[in-house]
């Protein structure tokens, strides 16, 4: 068990260090976030805070996050495969440690993306947040759901040709429930509804995270050794 | 350490390259596998380290009365191959440190230095692997493979891109490995054919 | 022996399905409010059921493949997915036709439409994945993993989909069959939403024992408006006149009146809710359900053996290389 933690931590640190040196995923993610926020603010402008406005803002925020995530989250696995370092890793690391390390790495990336995108939306689109606590909770759980659902898929598509297109094709249908819940919940949080209104959504996201995480950790070794 | 293959068959892509191969290899024995390009040398080594599954037959390692599949025996194996790539954006010692951690080996900077010294890369540990020449990269592959003293060495094209000193180094490593377990070398280089206790000549598929 | 049995089964399925189609057009009565379009339900519901069944069968054999590693299980999973895609398209098309005829829209994102649409995306993703992986064994393993992984997320979709039409921002209910609505209580002059229509209670007039509610109904985007006058009998305690929404087959109903407060409870009444109440319709529907299920398993087994033969041929070719 201690060995697993140690190996997971090593994989995470290795990926972070590589990322800082190559900026392979980071540039793509952040540029995407900036372009999305700019396009939205130029195209839509400040919407105010009517009940339709908060729905539109919530949807745009999550569409920006989703597409940035679909652009960047596959890269750590794809890079191992493209630079053919996956063989060296497969011979030495426990599969579960690889999965957990990459999952944590993707979480770090997405947390950064959340921060940048939200700030840009606050400034450019003049989104005002009614219930900040609920907003942050939804942002975090929504992001964790994105990561637990897509990390396994990233490992799958790393083995296929036509990788980048395939990632979105495979991930999107599985993410529909998350998107519906998180967009509606974010709209409530923007409007300033109380915690009790958002609670069922948080519960659902939590259940989704648990189910996809458990399924991924069971299925990952098959993908890794395929 | 003992390695046994029982009527193993395997494909490379859609083709059969190996069929009905059986052999036994004891502690300290060196097997040289040769054959034309595409005859399945690399495939055999990949089977031996569990990177590929045989389509039929069985491969078993036996160590201290216990039998292991190649996948389960990975912590006992060292594999060197042109297909083996290390992280170019990290330095050599960062690479060694990382692989030691995921292998669960206790590791220190001194260990990295000693290992790099053994493969004659002393002083180059803090250079990025992307700045290495192909011969230096090949030496670093040996450092990766020898980490934690493997019982079995599986060497694919062991001296490709190496200079005279590098070749001598590899031959020394192979000789030293005799005291730990068997060695399998896939090569067509006549100087290495002479190293083997046995030579397995693979035929390309019909 | 098995060959003989499959031949008999094939003929039986053919006769059975012919009977279902004949009964669908000639034997069962028209449903009030739906017209001949209502007959499509006999085909629509079973095809939708088979789409879901096929998905479960595919996931089951994917799990079996990962468990036992036998190529035939993967062939079965693929065959089930292919049948599933076919029936999903059938269900979507029949549903869209029905929706257009009855509700005036092809597509409405109601919960079941959402679910089947996502199901279609998952099937498409499975085929795209298979096409993108060359080595056969890897292809089988990875698509089995994806199929199982998609399967565990589907329950969330079923749970979440009702929220899409029934948005929590807009407390209302959809113009969809079997949607149970609480309705809305309005006083004179106040505004509410029923389905996607804005309704405003203009006036409440008592004419003897009947109450007439003058209700202005606006289309989404306020493109057009109409005034409907549903009525309610105070002595009987039931609604009398139930006008239909313009362009839709839904009726506007006064469910109760509170004269003291001057409020009415308005609701929509969907056609098709009691569609299976008729005996003949029920029998035909069940026969169709059974027939389509048998049809699915028949196509499934044929496709499986075809895939097996194709795989054998491919291997033989390789052996001769």
């Amino acid at each position: 068990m201690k060995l697993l933690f140690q190996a997971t931590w090593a994989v995470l640190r290795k990926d972070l260090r590589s990322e800082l040196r190559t900026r392979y995923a980071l540039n793509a993610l952040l540029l995407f976030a900036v372009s999305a926020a700019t396009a939205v603010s130029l195209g839509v402008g400040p919407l105010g805070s009517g009940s339709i406005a908060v729905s539109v803002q919530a949807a745009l925020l999550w569409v920006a996050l989703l597409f940035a995530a679909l652009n960047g989250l596959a890269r750590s696995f794809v890079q191992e495969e493209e630079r053919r370092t996956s063989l060296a890793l497969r011979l030495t690391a426990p599969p579960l440690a690889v999965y957990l390390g990459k999952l944590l790495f993707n979480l770090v990336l997405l947390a950064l993306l959340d921060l940048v995108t939200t700030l840009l939306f606050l400034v450019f689109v003049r989104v005002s947040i009614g219930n900040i606590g609920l907003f942050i909770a939804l942002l975090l759980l929504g992001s964790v759901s994105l990561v637990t659902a897509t990390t396994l898929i990233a490992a799958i598509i790393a083995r296929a040709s036509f990788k980048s297109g395939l990632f979105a094709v495979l991930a999107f249908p599985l993410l529909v429930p998350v998107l519906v819940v998180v967009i509606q919940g974010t709209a409530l949080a923007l409007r300033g509804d109380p915690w009790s209104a958002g609670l069922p959504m948080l519960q659902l996201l939590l259940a989704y995270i648990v189910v996809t995480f458990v399924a991924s950790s069971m299925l990952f070794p098959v993908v890794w050794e395929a | 350490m003992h390695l046994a293959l029982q009527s193993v068959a395997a494909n490379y892509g859609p083709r059969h390259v190996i069929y009905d191969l059986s052999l036994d290899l004891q502690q300290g024995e060196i097997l040289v596998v040769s054959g034309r390009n595409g005859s399945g040398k690399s495939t055999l080594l990949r089977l031996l380290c569990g990177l590929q599954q045989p389509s039929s037959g069985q491969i078993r390692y036996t160590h201290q009365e216990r039998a292991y599949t190649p996948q389960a025996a990975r912590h006992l194996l060292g594999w060197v191959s042109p297909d083996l790539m290390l992280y170019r954006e990290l330095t050599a010692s960062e690479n060694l440190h990382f692989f030691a951690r995921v292998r669960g080996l206790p590791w220190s900077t001194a260990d990295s230095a000693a290992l790099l010294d053994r493969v004659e890369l002393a002083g180059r540990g803090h250079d990025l692997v992307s700045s290495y020449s192909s011969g230096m990269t090949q030496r670093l592959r040996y450092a990766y493979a020898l980490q934690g003293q493997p019982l079995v060495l599986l060497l694919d094209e062991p001296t490709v891109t190496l200079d005279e000193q590098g070749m001598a180094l590899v031959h020394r490593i192979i000789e030293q490995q005799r005291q730990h377990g068997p060695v399998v070398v896939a090569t067509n280089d006549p100087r290495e054919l002479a190293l083997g206790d046995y030579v397995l000549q693979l035929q390309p598929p019909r | 022996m098995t060959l003989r049995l499959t031949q008999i089964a094939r003929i039986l399925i053919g006769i059975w399905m012919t009977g279902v189609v004949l009964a669908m057009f000639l034997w069962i009565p028209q449903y009030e409010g739906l017209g001949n379009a209502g007959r499509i339900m006999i085909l629509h519901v079973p095809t939708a059921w088979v789409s879901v069944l096929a998905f479960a069968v595919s996931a089951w054999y994917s799990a079996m493949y990962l468990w036992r590693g036998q190529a035939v299980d993967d062939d079965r999973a693929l065959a089930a997915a292919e049948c599933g895609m076919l029936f999903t398209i059938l269900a979507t098309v029949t549903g869209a036709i029905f929706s257009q005829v009855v509700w005036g829209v092809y597509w409405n994102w109601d919960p079941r439409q959402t679910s089947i649409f996502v199901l279609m995306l998952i099937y498409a993703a499975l085929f795209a994945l298979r096409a993108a992986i060359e080595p056969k064994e890897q292809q089988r393993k990875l698509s089995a993993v994806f199929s199982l992984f998609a399967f565990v997320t589907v329950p969330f979709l079923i749970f979440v989909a009702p929220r899409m039409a029934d948005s929590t921002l807009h407390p209302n209910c959809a113009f969809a069959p079997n949607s149970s609505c609480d309705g809305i209580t309005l006083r004179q002059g106040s505004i509410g939403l029923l389905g996607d229509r804005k309704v405003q209670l203009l006036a409440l007039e008592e004419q003897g024992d009947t109450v007439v509610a003058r209700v202005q109904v606006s289309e989404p985007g306020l493109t057009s408006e109409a005034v409907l006058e549903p009525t309610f009998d105070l002595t009987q305690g039931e609604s009398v006149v139930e006008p239909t929404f313009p362009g839709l087959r839904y009726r506007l109903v006064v469910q109760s009146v509170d004269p003291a407060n001057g409020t009415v409870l308005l609701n929509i009444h969907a056609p098709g809710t009691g569609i299976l109440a008729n005996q003949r319709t029920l029998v035909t529907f069940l026969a169709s359900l059974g027939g389509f299920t048998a049809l699915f398993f028949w196509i499934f087994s044929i496709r499986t053996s075809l895939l097996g033969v194709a795989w054998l041929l491919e291997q033989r070719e390789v052996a001769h290389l």
Side-chain angles (χ1 to χ4, degrees):
Chain A
M1 204 59 189
K2 184 166 166 264
L3 209 81
L4 182 68
F5 283 133
Q6 207 181 52
T8 303
W9 178 238
V11 172
L12 172 64
R13 270 190 44 178
K14 187 271 296 174
D15 274 358
L16 286 175
R17 182 174 282 163
S18 295
E19 186 55 47
L20 284 178
R21 288 189 190 160
T22 59
R23 311 268 160 80
Y24 189 70
L26 212 57
N27 282 345
L29 275 176
L30 296 185
L31 279 177
F32 201 98
V34 173
S35 327
T38 315
V40 167
S41 76
L42 289 178
V44 187
L47 287 167
S49 53
S51 84
I52 296 180
V54 291
S55 296
V56 171
Q57 286 167 343
L60 288 174
L61 175 66
W62 278 100
V63 166
L65 284 174
L66 171 74
F67 282 95
L70 289 182
N71 217 3
L73 292 190
R75 301 219 175 188
S76 68
F77 269 116
V78 168
Q79 208 183 9
E80 297 277 2
E81 215 62 48
E82 274 178 355
R83 299 194 170 191
R84 299 199 290 166
T85 48
S86 56
L87 291 182
L89 198 55
R90 209 167 296 158
L91 286 179
T92 49
L96 200 55
V98 176
Y99 174 71
L100 293 176
K102 301 272 179 197
L103 183 87
L104 292 175
F105 174 71
N106 278 345
L107 274 179
V108 172
L109 270 189
L110 203 54
L112 202 66
L113 179 74
D114 283 347
L115 190 70
V116 172
T117 311
T118 311
L119 285 179
L120 287 174
F121 264 71
L122 286 177
V123 175
F124 285 180
V125 195
R126 294 189 210 156
V127 175
S128 62
I129 305 172
N131 185 341
I132 293 180
L134 182 61
F135 178 81
I136 292 176
L138 281 162
L139 196 62
L140 285 182
L141 285 189
S143 303
V144 178
S145 314
L146 279 187
V147 170
T148 52
T150 55
T151 304
L152 180 75
I153 293 176
I156 293 176
I157 60 110
R159 300 309 201 65
S161 52
F162 175 55
K163 297 178 179 33
S164 55
L166 204 58
F167 187 49
V169 168
L170 296 198
F172 182 72
L174 310 193
L175 288 174
V176 169
V178 174
L179 289 175
V180 171
V181 166
V182 92
I183 288 174
Q184 288 183 357
T186 305
L188 293 183
L190 291 180
R191 204 175 59 176
D193 281 23
W195 278 88
S196 56
L199 206 60
M201 295 164 177
L202 294 176
Q203 284 169 341
L204 190 114
L205 290 176
L206 211 57
Y208 185 90
I209 290 167
V210 170
V211 167
T212 47
F213 176 72
V214 171
S216 297
S217 9
M218 284 166 61
L219 291 171
F220 180 75
V222 179
V223 177
W224 188 234
E225 296 288 350
Chain B
M1 191 62 166
H2 167 235
L3 163 64
L5 275 72
Q6 269 174 21
S7 49
V8 168
N11 303 339
Y12 181 73
R15 288 165 185 271
H16 292 296
V17 283
I18 294 173
Y19 31 82
D20 200 18
L21 178 65
S22 298
L23 59 88
D24 262 312
L25 214 55
Q26 301 292 340
Q27 166 98 32
E29 291 181 330
I30 298 174
L31 172 71
V32 173
V33 185
S34 76
R36 286 167 40 194
N37 295 339
S39 60
K41 299 189 298 293
S42 297
T43 304
L44 178 59
L45 263 72
R46 292 167 80 96
L47 289 173
L48 291 180
C49 58
L51 285 173
Q52 189 181 333
Q53 301 300 316
S55 52
S56 65
Q58 180 171 303
I59 302 172
R60 284 291 175 273
Y61 290 95
T62 317
H63 176 54
Q64 293 172 348
E65 315 271 304
R66 282 181 61 187
Y68 297 89
T69 62
Q71 277 183 347
R74 275 177 186 170
H75 60 290
L76 307 171
L77 311 177
W79 179 62
V80 173
S81 157
D83 292 336
L84 176 69
M85 296 290 173
L86 303 179
Y87 295 99
R88 293 168 54 79
E89 65 276 10
L90 304 182
T91 67
S93 51
E94 279 169 348
N95 264 297
L96 291 179
H97 215 90
F98 167 67
F99 285 111
R101 282 263 166 261
V102 295
R103 282 172 150 134
L105 299 172
W107 201 255
S108 67
T109 328
D111 292 319
S112 289
L115 196 51
L116 288 172
D117 195 36
R118 186 171 171 200
V119 297
E120 297 168 1
L121 283 174
R124 302 302 298 270
H126 295 291
D127 295 358
L128 291 180
V129 175
S130 54
S131 72
Y132 273 26
S133 72
S134 53
M136 289 166 73
T137 310
Q138 179 71 358
R139 285 159 188 260
L140 187 60
R141 289 187 182 121
Y142 279 92
Y144 161 89
L146 291 171
Q147 225 177 9
Q149 189 49 61
L151 297 181
V152 183
L153 268 190
L154 306 166
L155 310 178
D156 191 2
E157 310 275 358
T159 54
V160 69
T161 73
L162 286 181
D163 53 17
E164 285 298 328
Q165 283 170 316
M167 281 186 201
L169 167 73
V170 168
H171 296 172
R172 263 202 317 278
I173 289 174
I174 294 175
E175 275 308 316
Q176 285 164 0
Q177 188 64 27
R178 278 185 192 273
Q179 53 179 301
H180 300 290
V183 181
V184 182
V185 182
T187 183
N188 280 327
D189 190 317
R191 280 168 296 186
E192 275 134 31
L193 287 176
L195 286 172
D197 301 319
Y198 309 101
V199 175
L200 173 66
Q201 185 78 31
L202 285 179
Q203 298 298 326
R206 283 162 294 164
Chain C
M1 185 60 193
T2 29
L3 200 69
R4 190 72 175 275
L5 272 179
T6 48
Q7 264 181 346
I8 293 172
R10 188 175 62 184
I11 293 166
L12 276 182
I13 292 174
I15 295 172
W16 187 271
M17 291 311 289
T18 315
V20 167
V21 171
L22 287 177
M24 173 180 137
F25 283 109
L26 303 175
W27 191 49
I28 62 174
Q30 274 196 14
Y31 184 76
E32 185 203 346
L34 291 178
N36 277 324
R39 299 183 194 277
I40 211 168
M41 281 300 116
I42 300 296
L43 293 184
H44 174 67
V45 180
T47 46
W49 147 249
V50 169
S51 326
V52 177
L53 176 72
F55 187 58
V57 169
S58 181
W60 168 255
Y61 281 114
S62 297
M64 290 304 282
Y65 175 71
L66 291 183
W67 183 252
R68 303 193 302 192
Q70 288 176 0
V72 64
D73 285 327
D74 181 64
D75 287 343
R76 288 189 183 125
L78 176 58
E82 285 175 349
C83 294
M85 186 72 183
L86 184 72
F87 280 96
T88 309
I89 291 171
L90 280 177
T92 316
V93 170
T94 51
I97 292 172
F98 178 77
S99 171
Q100 169 64 23
V101 172
V102 177
W103 306 320
V105 285
Y106 281 109
W107 201 260
N108 189 43
W109 290 118
D110 86 40
R112 297 200 179 140
Q113 285 176 327
T114 310
S115 308
I116 204 148
F117 181 73
V118 175
L119 196 59
M120 204 151 45
L121 287 183
I122 293 177
Y123 280 134
L126 257 174
F127 299 135
L129 178 63
R130 277 189 192 264
I133 304 173
E134 189 52 50
K136 193 75 183 176
E137 187 138 337
Q138 232 181 50
Q139 185 192 93
R140 292 181 193 276
K141 274 188 190 164
L142 296 182
S143 47
V145 167
F146 178 70
S147 168
L148 274 178
F149 194 56
F151 187 72
V152 302
T153 63
V154 163
F156 290 95
L157 183 71
I158 292 164
F159 189 76
V160 160
R163 286 168 178 274
M164 297 195 59
D166 215 341
S167 155
T168 43
L169 274 182
H170 311 282
N172 57 21
C173 51
F175 288 109
N178 307 321
S179 65
S180 65
C181 304
D182 296 333
I184 46 166
T185 307
L186 292 181
R187 67 177 66 249
Q188 196 166 325
S190 62
I191 298 171
L193 276 167
L194 276 176
D196 55 356
R197 303 299 152 104
K198 189 185 101 182
V199 288
Q200 181 174 19
L201 183 65
L202 297 176
L204 207 56
E205 295 160 9
E206 283 192 43
Q207 298 172 352
D209 284 341
T210 31
V211 173
V212 180
R214 283 173 50 79
V215 180
Q216 181 175 298
V217 178
S218 312
E219 302 242 341
L222 305 182
T223 43
S224 71
E225 295 176 340
V227 176
L228 304 181
E229 296 190 341
T231 65
F232 187 82
D233 191 322
L234 283 173
T235 47
Q236 303 287 326
E238 62 184 26
S239 79
V240 185
V241 179
E242 300 181 349
T244 53
F245 283 91
L248 296 171
R249 297 216 180 206
Y250 284 92
R251 294 196 298 272
L252 179 63
V253 184
V254 178
Q255 278 192 328
S256 68
V257 177
D258 184 349
N261 291 320
T263 58
V264 286
L265 177 59
L266 292 175
N267 206 343
I268 54 179
H269 185 255
T273 330
I275 195 167
L276 292 176
N278 181 282
Q279 279 286 313
R280 289 183 184 185
T281 314
L282 186 64
V283 168
T284 312
F285 176 75
L286 291 178
S288 173
L289 202 60
F292 269 104
T293 311
L295 191 65
F296 161 69
F297 279 108
W298 180 56
I299 301 178
F300 166 67
S301 67
I302 288 183
R303 185 66 189 138
T304 305
S305 38
L306 273 180
L307 285 170
V309 170
W311 172 235
L312 277 182
L313 284 178
E314 212 172 291
Q315 278 193 319
R316 185 171 303 175
E317 220 165 273
V318 167
H320 280 290
L321 277 176

